Amino acid sequence: MEECAHAGCLMELCIQLCITMLGKQLIQNNLFEIGIPKLKKLLRRRKSEMDTKQEEELNKTLQRHEKDHFLGPFVGLSPEYMEMIIQFGMVTLFVASFPLAPLFALLNNIIEIRLDAKKFVMELRRPIAAKAKDIGIWYNLLRGLSKVAVIVNAFVISFTSDFIPRLVYQYMYSPDGTMHGFINHTLSYFNVSDFQPGTEPLQPMHLGYHVEICRYKDYREPPWSSTPYELSKEFWAILAARLAFVIVFQNVVMLMSDFVDWLIPDIPKDISLQIHKEKILMVELFMKEEQGKRLAARDNHNQDNFTSPSSADQSPPQPRSRPVSHANCY
């Protein structure tokens, strides 16, 4: 691996992120937001053969939709979303190295809101309105980036800084519980006689005396041990502490994010109560309609039974004739 600067890898990452947020996001993108639509409008005006007065007179006679036809075409919101996704990733993935990145992102977004408003109103044609429940797949991308950012920041803090080695030295190897002697603890020993042929210093007497032992920043066994220049126990202890920090940091941040998500709901409380009341009213309305249908069906059934008499009622009984007795008269 290529070694970092003397200030550490975090400082190099901080400089790169500062250049990206200030140079690219805040200056370059905003200049392009203003310059490119103006340049396109100027080119369209150059292509037309009318001068300024003729164009003003023509604009007075045209309708609003005819004037909008001369504006630039609307290409969609994907470039705008992509710009915000890139900015969100740069801010969240490496915020541990440059804590001011969210502030510059906020300033950039405040400026870009006005620039985009002017661009969509003055420079581009009016887009066709379409209903949308949310921002679609972009929400899943933002949520995935936020999850990955927690892991990346944990590795950045643990592996590119001296935060974990300092804690390990203070609580495990320091004789008095302070940071006194930390630099000496991080340096290993090297015997100059172990240089490979052709790699030794060209001027061994540069300091005025012959150097036998030199120091370098690493956790290696000294040359007089049984396993010279192998990784020492301190290296494995620090590596275990770094991995443990990554696991603990990830779980703590995830729990805190879930707690904040539960504490601050996406829908305000008054709106959720109103939605709940509307659902209750809808259920009551459906219940009343069902009860009304059942009562109407029952009334129709009773009316049918009342208007259609039985077969005995349809054929009334005939009066019985008295039997005639033939009596003999004497």
Side-chain angles (χ1 to χ4, degrees):
M1 287 180 59
E2 184 178 350
E3 294 292 336
C4 296
H6 295 289
C9 298
L10 278 179
M11 184 55 64
E12 293 186 358
L13 186 59
C14 175
I15 294 172
Q16 293 178 7
L17 193 59
C18 182
I19 293 172
T20 302
M21 296 303 299
L22 289 176
K24 187 177 185 302
Q25 292 282 334
L26 193 60
I27 299 176
Q28 180 183 352
N29 288 356
N30 291 332
L31 288 178
F32 285 169
E33 292 281 348
I34 301 174
I36 292 179
K38 294 289 185 183
L39 184 61
K40 290 182 178 179
K41 188 176 181 179
L42 181 61
L43 291 176
R44 289 195 301 267
R45 185 175 296 177
R46 286 292 182 88
K47 289 181 180 179
S48 63
E49 299 178 355
M50 296 183 298
D51 55 5
T52 306
K53 294 183 179 180
Q54 293 177 351
E55 187 175 358
E56 290 179 357
E57 293 178 358
L58 180 62
N59 289 331
K60 293 179 181 179
T61 59
L62 294 177
Q63 299 294 328
R64 180 71 261 180
H65 64 277
E66 295 175 334
K67 294 179 181 179
D68 291 342
H69 182 71
F70 293 102
L71 299 177
F74 176 72
V75 296
L77 294 175
S78 295
E80 304 294 334
Y81 277 120
M82 185 60 66
E83 184 180 353
M84 291 295 103
I85 291 292
I86 293 174
Q87 184 192 81
F88 182 77
M90 294 296 293
V91 169
T92 56
L93 290 175
F94 309 109
V95 69
S97 61
F98 187 47
L100 289 178
L103 176 61
F104 290 115
L106 176 63
L107 295 176
N108 174 63
N109 292 338
I110 291 174
I111 297 173
E112 191 166 356
I113 285 175
R114 307 311 307 167
L115 295 180
D116 286 342
K118 184 178 181 181
K119 180 180 68 174
F120 281 105
V121 174
M122 305 294 295
E123 307 295 340
L124 298 179
R125 298 173 187 170
R126 182 178 298 177
I128 299 175
K131 291 184 178 180
K133 184 179 180 181
D134 48 19
I135 61 176
I137 192 63
W138 301 104
Y139 176 77
N140 296 330
L141 290 176
L142 291 172
R143 191 173 181 84
L145 274 177
S146 63
K147 300 295 184 183
V148 175
V150 177
I151 303 174
V152 171
N153 281 286
F155 276 99
V156 167
I157 295 172
S158 60
F159 283 91
T160 62
S161 66
D162 290 335
F163 175 70
I164 302 300
R166 288 176 180 273
L167 292 179
V168 172
Y169 175 78
Q170 183 177 0
Y171 293 104
M172 291 183 62
Y173 299 104
S174 178
D176 53 357
T178 62
M179 296 304 298
H180 182 71
F182 172 72
I183 300 299
N184 185 51
H185 178 73
T186 59
L187 299 178
S188 299
Y189 294 90
F190 183 77
N191 194 343
V192 295
S193 62
D194 294 332
F195 275 118
Q196 296 181 1
T199 60
E200 63 273 2
L202 299 178
Q203 297 178 358
M205 300 298 294
H206 176 71
L207 298 177
Y209 58 91
H210 183 69
V211 178
E212 295 182 357
I213 298 295
C214 63
R215 308 294 298 274
Y216 62 99
K217 189 175 181 179
D218 203 353
Y219 293 96
R220 299 275 179 173
E221 294 290 343
W224 54 81
S225 66
S226 59
T227 56
Y229 308 122
E230 295 291 333
L231 295 174
S232 61
K233 295 180 181 179
E234 291 83 359
F235 172 81
W236 299 110
I238 293 174
L239 180 61
R242 283 172 169 170
L243 295 177
F245 173 80
V246 170
I247 296 173
V248 173
F249 182 84
Q250 176 186 356
N251 288 289
V252 169
V253 173
M254 291 297 182
L255 288 176
M256 290 180 62
S257 63
D258 293 339
F259 175 72
V260 173
D261 191 13
W262 171 79
L263 190 65
I264 305 175
D266 296 333
I267 302 176
K269 188 176 181 179
D270 53 348
I271 296 178
S272 61
L273 290 176
Q274 188 68 26
I275 294 174
H276 184 66
K277 291 179 181 179
E278 290 180 357
K279 289 182 179 180
I280 293 176
L281 293 176
M282 291 287 290
V283 172
E284 292 179 355
L285 180 62
F286 289 151
M287 292 295 292
K288 289 180 180 179
E289 289 183 357
E290 290 294 330
Q291 291 178 0
K293 291 180 181 179
R294 290 178 183 178
L295 292 175
R298 187 182 301 174
D299 293 341
N300 292 333
H301 181 70
N302 294 333
Q303 186 176 3
D304 291 342
N305 291 335
F306 181 78
T307 56
S308 59
S310 60
S311 59
D313 295 337
Q314 290 179 0
S315 58
Q318 298 292 332
R320 295 182 179 180
S321 58
R322 298 180 64 181
V324 178
S325 59
H326 298 281
N328 294 327
C329 295
Y330 294 100

